[in-house]
Amino acid sequence: MTTNFTFLKQEFPSLYEEITEAELHTFTAPRYAALLCRSTLEKTLFWLYKNDEDLEFPYDIKLASLLLNDDFKRIIKPSMSVELDIVRRFGNDAAHGKKIRALEALQCLKNTFRFLSWVSKYYSENDPDIPEFRE
């Protein structure tokens, strides 16, 4: 399978597996894809909070709280904060049985790609080769 996420395979294999599953289902099962993007986001945030000494888990560790935490908001651009909240919202809608259109799932995938690219660029041991996103 051709994927946008090969750059994760070496250092973040569990994220790679989950997000490539989302990518595979973006157009065929968009609700499932949005749910997987949200799950990948949550796993990535937990990894970040555990591995970045500047991040401290808030009292409430729900996804929204992790995203809104001042420590986290200080290390990402405001535009990325908005993108991640979109992933959270569509993922929540999917979890609660709401219809997710393919374009919404694609938006989740693109937003998650940008975040994972950022994480990989700044937290990888190696210098990852991050491709342009291909729809």
Side-chain angles (χ1 to χ4, degrees), residues 2 7 18 23 27 29 40 56 64 77 80 82-84 93-95 97-99 103 119 122 131-132 134:
T2 304
F7 65 94
E18 191 151 345
E23 184 178 37
F27 298 107
T40 301
E56 200 170 305
K77 292 179 181 174
M80 186 173 285
V82 170
E83 291 176 0
L84 297 180
D93 287 349
K98 292 188 180 162
K99 183 172 174 51
L103 284 176
V119 168
Y122 290 104
E132 287 290 314
R134 291 183 333 274

Side-chain angles (χ1 to χ4, degrees), residues 87-98:
V87 174
R88 180 192 67 80
R89 286 196 337 254
F90 281 138
N92 286 352
D93 287 349
H96 294 280
K98 292 188 180 162

Side-chain angles (χ1 to χ4, degrees), residues 4 23 26-27 103 106-107 109-110 132-135:
N4 287 295
E23 184 178 37
T26 300
F27 298 107
L103 284 176
L106 180 61
Q107 188 63 57
L109 192 70
K110 284 180 175 177
E132 287 290 314
F133 185 86
R134 291 183 333 274
E135 291 183 13

Side-chain angles (χ1 to χ4, degrees), residues 32-85:
Y32 179 55
L35 200 57
L36 287 171
C37 286
R38 185 201 181 283
S39 174
T40 301
L41 170 59
E42 195 165 40
K43 285 179 179 170
T44 307
L45 284 169
F46 271 94
W47 183 91
L48 270 177
Y49 275 87
K50 286 179 187 157
N51 290 282
D52 185 326
E53 59 192 31
D54 293 331
L55 293 176
E56 200 170 305
F57 277 104
Y59 173 74
D60 179 358
I61 58 167
K62 287 189 289 211
L63 182 55
S65 300
L66 297 175
L67 290 170
L68 293 172
N69 183 349
D70 288 337
D71 290 345
F72 179 68
K73 288 179 91 168
R74 265 193 287 284
I75 65 170
I76 61 168
K77 292 179 181 174
S79 59
M80 186 173 285
S81 184
V82 170
E83 291 176 0
L84 297 180
D85 196 53

